[in-house]
Amino acid sequence: MNQHIHRHPSPFLRRTALGAAALTISTLAGGAGCAATSPRTAPGTAEERTASGVASPTPQADAPGVTAQPDPEPQVVVRDDLRSLFRKAGVEGTFALLDVEGGRMTVVDRRRAERRMLPASTFKVAHSLIALETGAAADADEVIPYGGKPQRIKEWEHDMNLRDAVRVSNVAVFQTLARRIGPKREKQWLDRLDYGNRRMGPSVQQFWLDGSLRISAAEQVGFLSRLAQDLLPASPEAMRTTRDLLKIEQKNGYTLYAKTGWGDAVRPAVGWWVGWVERGGHVYAFALNIDIKAGNRDADQRIPLTRTLLHTLGVLPAA
């Protein structure tokens, strides 16, 4: 049976639409015990403190129709016992899960969940939204040229629409879209979405691949939960189309939206699987990242490991 998700702010997320995408991740600095309900100053650099929410931007209360309200603080549950699942898979990494309606954040390896990393192809989620909002892509079905140059993955050597480009993670097509959007509008939308550290670097067609852009797992679930509920500062139509691009599974009373990422411009390379589950009228946003040290052997653990974590935490029904 299909579950209806009400796309409006839950009590947990009732906040300014132009505020920080990370959901008061300062609570993640509340200690490594089972739960943290009060923030404390996190150690580290200014950028690390921002990634954990301690130095989050001031909400823009003057936007039309937007009322700034204090950020609610989720209960944070640290489940480092689940590191055993990472060890069993032979990888190192972190996992963050946000139960939006329940107001609870569950994390495995709190410090790593706060650490900003290269988003790689998980940025295609935000990039699809930006392309639709700016008109760089008219809709999900407009065919976008890949540029005609040889690509490291043969499947990318085709012109394709946004729907197929997301499905096969076609870097060349998204580089075409990035050139259409241009650096000025890309930066404006990074700021507007408050995406990670919001840094572009010099190349408009590389900044999410090997440039300066970074985002933490905790920030990923904040951004994704807001997309799932129509809470981003973007048009409902663009958000609806972006959600549709990410839908990969619908059965047994749940719907799964997700996107992979593999950033090999850093060492060790970083692998992602991020998205959300809609089940029983609830939204559960998740983000996993791992070190990829052994190529495909490690990369192939991203999806099954995340599914195991989602099953273990009761988000997905038992297989």
Side-chain angles (χ1 to χ4, degrees), residues 117-270:
M117 298 185 175
L118 194 69
S121 284
T122 66
F123 184 65
K124 287 185 174 72
V125 179
H127 222 174
S128 296
L129 181 67
I130 295 168
L132 291 164
E133 281 289 289
T134 58
D139 52 39
D141 298 311
E142 179 191 353
V143 176
I144 312 295
Y146 79 95
K149 296 181 180 179
Q151 300 296 316
R152 65 178 184 176
I153 296 178
K154 201 70 177 174
E155 193 174 14
W156 294 352
E157 295 180 1
H158 298 280
D159 300 341
M160 58 182 66
N161 61 29
L162 196 56
R163 197 179 309 279
D164 291 335
V166 169
R167 179 179 55 82
V168 302
S169 208
N170 192 323
V171 168
V173 164
F174 273 87
Q175 288 178 321
T176 296
L177 290 171
R179 291 190 294 270
R180 288 182 179 182
I181 295 165
K184 181 178 179 180
R185 291 193 297 178
E186 290 276 20
K187 183 61 172 70
Q188 287 173 341
W189 275 96
L190 288 176
D191 289 341
R192 186 171 187 182
L193 297 174
D194 196 23
Y195 189 90
N197 65 1
R198 301 182 289 176
R199 294 180 183 173
M200 270 192 59
S203 175
V204 74
Q205 60 181 19
Q206 292 289 130
F207 66 90
W208 69 96
L209 299 169
D210 59 13
S212 302
L213 188 62
R214 298 290 187 274
I215 191 169
S216 69
E219 289 172 318
Q220 289 266 25
V221 297
F223 170 76
L224 292 164
S225 66
R226 291 164 68 76
L227 173 60
Q229 293 193 112
D230 266 350
L231 288 176
L232 292 174
S235 68
E237 181 180 359
M239 286 188 282
R240 182 171 56 251
T241 300
T242 302
R243 286 193 296 268
D244 185 57
L245 295 173
L246 301 172
K247 185 187 294 186
I248 64 170
E249 191 170 287
Q250 186 169 18
K251 63 181 183 179
N252 299 334
Y254 72 86
T255 306
L256 174 62
Y257 304 78
K259 182 70 190 75
T260 56
W262 182 346
D264 56 8
V266 292
R267 290 293 178 270
V270 59

Side-chain angles (χ1 to χ4, degrees), residues 8-32:
H8 58 75
S10 73
F12 176 53
L13 286 177
R14 194 171 292 123
R15 49 177 293 173
T16 169
L18 296 180
L23 301 177
T24 60
I25 306 307
S26 59
T27 54
L28 289 176

